[in-house]
Amino acid sequence: KQWYQRRVRGAATQYAEVLIKRYGYNKRIGLVTVPDKDDDLTQFAVHEEIRKLFDERYEVVKADLLRHKQAWRRVTDHLVEYKTLTGGEVKTLFEGGKLMRKPGDLLPNK
């Protein structure tokens, strides 16, 4: 679990760094390409902006999850019972509907 979390965080940080340093995805750094070997002050500014980006996105995702908490609870409860769900079944549960199959039945065909 820890290995996976480190890999995901590392990949997300690298992606955010590319967005900020190469594509100017930040008002503070601007629309400039920041070289990989730049001074400590620039690196510090880039990493501050990465942290800010993560903090902002974390709050947005957290709010979305909490807003749909009951729907996610229905999905997780059904996953425990059914073991697998199709995308359509997740959508049905999210919209408050009922599944057409019983636990243990095979997944429906298209």
Side-chain angles (χ1 to χ4, degrees), residues 9-103:
R9 277 191 221 123
T13 301
Q14 287 175 347
Y15 180 67
E17 190 171 356
V18 167
L19 286 175
I20 290 170
K21 289 175 77 173
R22 288 199 188 141
Y23 301 111
Y25 190 77
N26 183 275
K27 289 180 184 175
R28 180 176 171 201
I29 304 298
L31 292 172
V32 297
T33 299
V34 178
D36 287 332
K37 294 187 179 191
D38 51 1
D39 61 52
D40 290 341
L41 188 57
T42 305
Q43 280 294 340
F44 182 75
V46 167
H47 287 284
E48 275 186 327
E49 295 306 309
I50 290 170
R51 170 59 55 201
K52 187 172 141 187
L53 177 66
F54 282 177
D55 289 346
E56 290 169 357
R57 294 292 93 203
Y58 173 81
E59 291 303 323
V60 169
V61 170
K62 182 179 172 183
D64 284 346
L65 289 172
L66 289 173
R67 184 173 45 254
H68 301 290
K69 186 176 182 177
Q70 287 181 321
W72 285 117
R73 172 101 35 202
R74 285 175 44 84
V75 170
T76 55
D77 289 346
H78 280 78
L79 271 172
V80 168
E81 189 173 358
Y82 286 73
K83 308 295 184 231
T84 57
L85 297 172
T86 66
E89 288 174 327
V90 171
K91 184 177 179 183
T92 297
L93 292 169
F94 224 81
E95 294 170 348
K98 295 186 181 226
L99 298 185
M100 301 309 247
R101 65 182 174 107
K102 295 182 177 16

